[in-house]
Amino acid sequence: DLQPEVFGDEPYTGMGGAQGGVVGMLEVIESDFARLEAETTAAEEAGKKEYDEFMEDSKVDQASKKAAIEHKGSKKSTNTQEVTTLEGDLLGTQKELDAALAYFEKL
């Protein structure tokens, strides 16, 4: 039969040979946390910079589009007035043509 291992009579000295034990483990955790915090801070700063650039580009783009809308609205208004004027001219010219044709037929 298998018997459990019998421990010696030496006093227990802890895990002194385990590369620092609990203190070593805490130091590793602390360094990992510091590295993670630095990476997170850098990522947040990069994200904020990208967001700020995007918002600035959007403001410029929006302003140029508003100006284009105003310009096109003004041009549309001008063209509408011109069309109305030309339609009136066409109507007057058509009446003159009809009168001239009627006079020509009488001759």
Side-chain angles (χ1 to χ4, degrees):
D1 291 315
L2 293 174
Q3 296 266 332
E5 182 179 336
V6 177
F7 295 102
D9 290 336
E10 308 89 40
Y12 179 71
T13 59
M15 298 179 65
Q19 302 293 328
V22 173
V23 174
M25 184 171 65
L26 288 175
E27 289 172 348
V28 169
I29 290 171
E30 181 184 22
S31 69
D32 286 350
F33 179 76
R35 178 187 49 79
L36 179 62
E37 182 181 26
E39 290 174 356
T40 302
T41 302
E44 286 176 352
E45 289 173 0
K48 183 178 182 331
K49 181 181 176 191
E50 184 178 336
Y51 170 79
D52 291 342
E53 289 173 357
F54 173 76
M55 291 305 291
E56 186 62 32
D57 291 346
S58 294
K59 285 179 185 177
V60 170
D61 188 43
Q62 186 178 25
S64 76
K65 287 181 179 177
K66 280 184 179 180
I69 287 172
E70 290 173 5
H71 175 70
K72 289 178 181 179
S74 173
K75 188 173 181 180
K76 177 184 174 193
S77 178
T78 302
N79 287 346
T80 302
Q81 290 173 354
E82 189 175 338
V83 165
T84 303
T85 302
L86 292 174
E87 284 176 344
D89 290 350
L90 177 63
L91 186 61
T93 304
Q94 186 64 45
K95 285 181 182 178
E96 289 177 12
L97 177 62
D98 291 342
L101 287 174
Y103 177 75
F104 182 70
E105 285 180 14
K106 290 181 182 178
L107 294 178

